[in-house]
Amino acid sequence: MAAFATLSDRLTATFRNLRGKGKLTPADVDGTVREIRRALLDADVALEVVKDFTGKVRERALGDEVNKALNPAQQVVQIVNEELVAILGGRQRRLEFAKRPPTVIMLAGLQGAGKTTLAGKLAKWLVKEGHTPLLVAADLQRPQAVQQLQVVGGQAGVPVFAPEPGNGKGNPVKVAKDGVKEAERKLYDTVIVDTAGRLGIDAEMMKQASDIRKAVDPDEVLFVIDAMIGQDAVTTARAFQDGVDFTGVVLSKLDGDARGGAALSVASVTGRPIMFASTGEGLDDFEPFYPDRMASRILDLGDILTLIEQAQQAFDEEEARKTAEKFATDSFTLDDFLKQMQQLKNMGPIKGMLGMLPGARGMREQLDNFDEREITRTEAIIQSMTLHERTVPKVLNGSRRVRIARGSGTTVTDVNQLVARFEQASKMMKTVAKGGVPQLPGMGPIPGASYAGKKKVQPKKGSRSGNPAKRAAENAAIVSGAKRAGAAASGSGFGLGAGGGKAGGPTEEELAALQRLMGRR
């Protein structure tokens, strides 16, 4: 995530200096802890959190668990990872739903934190989880807040209860109470109450939020905080905790170019868990917050579990099975390739997915230069082809490629490159489907791997030995069916073949000689 980019780079560079050291001295530990402290302070993490964090890391790094470790550098990384998980909340906490619906979820936070948009994201996520949410427009203070929630609700496919026009008119406490009654009457199982915020903390805002809380008695109060707020995160969180209190935190704008200190401060200072994170502008850019996975991302250890979950949501198992069969039977077409690309797009931005891989920070420049529009251009090229051309790419002659390039707004070179990549990928996947190991461009053959389609070496028809006597003996053995495998050909020190009794195996004379050699009569 962009919010932790700088912090991640600093920590990764710090740990890189520890590699290759068989033992860490107190000076090494102090230097590492000092760099971690600077990295956290630069990321706008609260000073009290930094002191507590670095103190625990230093104490553990100087202890026996590092001194006795085979790889001290990796052990220090593990310690930092565990302490990061701790200050991020320890473990993930899910929403607690009421035993008797509807479950009431109240959103609170400053104006500009993204509460209204987040209400739509949360509602859409709840729909995917099998719930029936109702959005309640109780923010009657901010201009056009009610209309914005209606638009967001429409995009999420979730109904909005908005009896008042807003813009300073109406009673937000009454709207919130009536919204819960509306949900009970129409059997919605979840109510999301969007409340008003201010540019800064004031008594009027806190009183209104507190009155709404008393009126609707919510099961969850989620405090929405902007990840880019910096050092003010602690002050704001404490003010809301004292004035309204909340059960969980939601981080918004984690995709922004921020230092991310709010995420590392709020949970530790308030003792309330971070439950969700907003990672983009789209309604689908919303995910549950896992402290252990976030710590792994910060330390550039990857987040494979989240990547797998996104893939499971985007890809259909039946479609994947059919695709595998097409690879195996060499019937995979450009049309199938297009469907696979469209499913890949449903997983989210490619940069985000690649960023979840371990060591992705080392590919920062390549990721920054990656153009997401390349996938759109590829789609345009394939969609400019006829069905026959997609099925049989071999018919793509020069004139057809010119027509496709014009229709897709690309060049003939782009078309040629796509067809070449498709053919290469098809060959590789066919090899994999048949149990072989594909030979990657720029790499030699992998020792011990079988390559599908590789021609079998035919046995020699006759001996080529320069010794007449040896040549005659070997030719006689080939004719009789008892082909002898030399040590250089078979790799056996005794010249034995695949096994006794089989073609190419040792003769009776050879077995007798071997027994005499081993002293067995």
Side-chain angles (χ1 to χ4, degrees):
M1 292 182 180
F4 297 107
T6 303
L7 175 61
S8 180
D9 289 343
R10 292 282 299 272
L11 291 178
T12 303
T14 300
F15 297 136
R16 193 180 298 121
N17 296 330
L18 297 178
R19 293 176 184 172
K21 294 188 177 183
K23 185 177 182 180
L24 298 183
T25 65
D28 293 329
V29 173
D30 287 340
T32 301
V33 171
R34 186 163 51 249
E35 289 301 319
I36 293 174
R37 183 185 299 111
R38 289 174 180 171
L40 293 174
L41 290 175
D42 286 346
D44 273 341
V45 181
L47 180 60
E48 57 188 288
V49 177
V50 174
K51 286 182 177 180
D52 182 60
F53 178 82
T54 53
K56 291 179 179 178
V57 170
R58 186 179 187 280
E59 181 181 354
R60 293 183 60 184
L62 290 174
D64 289 341
E65 60 180 316
V66 172
N67 292 333
K68 295 180 180 180
L70 294 176
N71 192 323
Q74 289 185 1
Q75 193 66 34
V76 171
V77 174
Q78 179 64 25
I79 290 172
V80 174
N81 180 63
E82 292 173 359
E83 294 300 328
L84 272 178
V85 172
I87 67 171
L88 285 170
R91 59 182 180 179
Q92 190 241 0
R93 183 173 89 73
R94 299 181 62 86
L95 287 173
E96 294 183 0
F97 292 93
K99 295 181 179 179
R100 181 181 177 183
T103 299
V104 180
I105 302 173
M106 174 182 167
L107 302 182
L110 292 179
Q111 185 175 312
K115 291 192 304 299
T116 302
T117 303
L118 194 132
K121 292 182 178 184
L122 177 59
K124 189 171 184 179
W125 181 81
L126 287 169
V127 170
K128 291 180 181 179
E129 294 291 309
H131 297 280
T132 53
L134 173 69
L135 289 168
V136 177
D139 181 359
L140 308 180
Q141 187 70 30
R142 180 170 60 88
Q144 303 300 315
V146 174
Q147 289 75 9
Q148 182 188 356
L149 186 64
Q150 289 173 330
V151 171
V152 170
Q155 293 173 343
V158 175
V160 179
F161 179 74
E164 299 288 350
N167 299 324
K169 299 180 180 179
N171 185 343
V173 178
K174 184 177 185 304
V175 170
K177 289 179 64 176
D178 292 345
V180 175
K181 293 178 180 178
E182 177 77 2
E184 293 174 348
R185 185 165 56 251
K186 295 189 176 179
L187 302 180
Y188 293 105
D189 70 352
T190 314
V191 179
I192 302 174
V193 182
D194 181 29
T195 63
R198 298 288 193 280
L199 295 176
I201 301 168
D202 62 25
E204 183 183 353
M205 175 187 65
M206 287 300 178
K207 184 178 185 309
Q208 184 183 109
S210 179
D211 291 343
I212 292 176
R213 172 163 189 161
K214 292 176 182 177
V216 299
D217 189 21
D219 300 281
E220 296 277 11
V221 179
L222 300 183
F223 172 53
V224 183
I225 188 168
D226 187 341
M228 300 192 297
I229 196 173
Q231 289 285 352
D232 287 339
V234 173
T235 304
T236 305
R238 280 178 170 158
F240 270 89
Q241 189 174 24
D242 295 337
V244 184
D245 199 7
F246 49 86
T247 59
V249 179
V250 180
L251 293 173
S252 64
K253 305 179 185 179
L254 268 181
D255 58 319
D257 187 14
R259 298 176 180 179
L264 299 176
S265 303
V266 173
S268 179
V269 169
T270 65
R272 299 292 187 268
I274 302 173
M275 298 176 64
F276 295 99
S278 175
T279 57
E281 296 181 0
L283 292 183
D284 291 317
D285 299 328
F286 179 80
E287 60 187 41
F289 187 88
Y290 295 87
D292 54 340
R293 300 184 189 182
M294 183 58 67
S296 293
R297 291 193 205 183
I298 293 173
L299 296 178
D300 198 23
L301 302 177
D303 187 0
I304 301 300
L305 289 177
T306 299
L307 192 60
I308 292 173
E309 289 175 358
Q310 291 182 358
Q312 289 175 337
Q313 293 175 2
F315 286 87
D316 181 74
E317 290 187 14
E318 181 64 21
E319 191 67 30
R321 185 186 61 79
K322 292 179 180 178
T323 301
E325 291 177 356
K326 289 183 178 181
F327 276 130
T329 57
D330 201 18
S331 58
F332 188 74
T333 66
L334 279 165
D335 208 32
D336 299 317
F337 182 57
L338 177 63
K339 292 178 182 177
Q340 291 294 307
M341 287 188 59
Q342 290 171 339
Q343 285 188 332
L344 186 64
K345 285 180 65 177
N346 291 336
M347 289 180 62
I350 302 298
K351 288 183 182 180
M353 289 187 289
L354 294 177
M356 295 181 192
L357 298 175
R361 296 296 176 190
M363 302 184 295
R364 172 67 60 79
E365 185 176 349
Q366 293 91 326
L367 290 176
D368 290 341
N369 293 333
F370 180 80
D371 187 1
E372 298 277 352
R373 294 174 296 178
E374 185 66 31
I375 296 179
T376 304
R377 285 191 287 269
T378 301
E379 284 182 319
I381 292 173
I382 299 176
Q383 289 170 342
S384 297
M385 299 178 184
T386 64
L387 183 59
H388 181 59
E389 290 169 342
R390 299 182 196 180
T391 307
V392 189
K394 293 181 179 179
V395 303
L396 292 173
N397 55 24
S399 61
R400 288 175 183 261
R401 297 188 186 210
V402 170
R403 189 203 79 238
I404 293 168
R406 288 176 178 173
S408 59
T410 58
T411 64
V412 176
T413 302
D414 294 331
V415 178
N416 293 339
Q417 290 176 346
L418 170 61
V419 174
R421 289 198 302 267
F422 170 75
E423 291 175 350
Q424 185 179 35
S426 296
K427 290 179 182 178
M428 290 175 61
M429 295 309 297
K430 184 181 177 182
T431 301
V432 173
K434 291 187 176 182
V437 179
Q439 187 168 336
L440 302 176
M443 294 180 60
I446 300 175
S450 61
Y451 294 89
K454 183 178 179 180
K455 293 184 179 179
K456 295 182 179 179
V457 179
Q458 297 296 328
K460 298 178 181 179
K461 294 183 178 180
S463 174
R464 294 185 181 182
S465 175
N467 187 321
K470 184 177 181 180
R471 184 169 65 246
E474 290 180 350
N475 285 335
I478 293 174
V479 172
S480 65
K483 182 171 62 177
R484 303 179 65 181
S490 67
S492 171
F494 292 98
L496 299 180
K502 296 182 181 180
T507 62
E508 292 181 1
E509 292 80 1
E510 288 174 327
L511 289 173
L514 181 60
Q515 288 176 350
R516 286 195 299 273
L517 179 66
M518 300 179 66
R520 297 178 182 176
R521 301 290 179 179

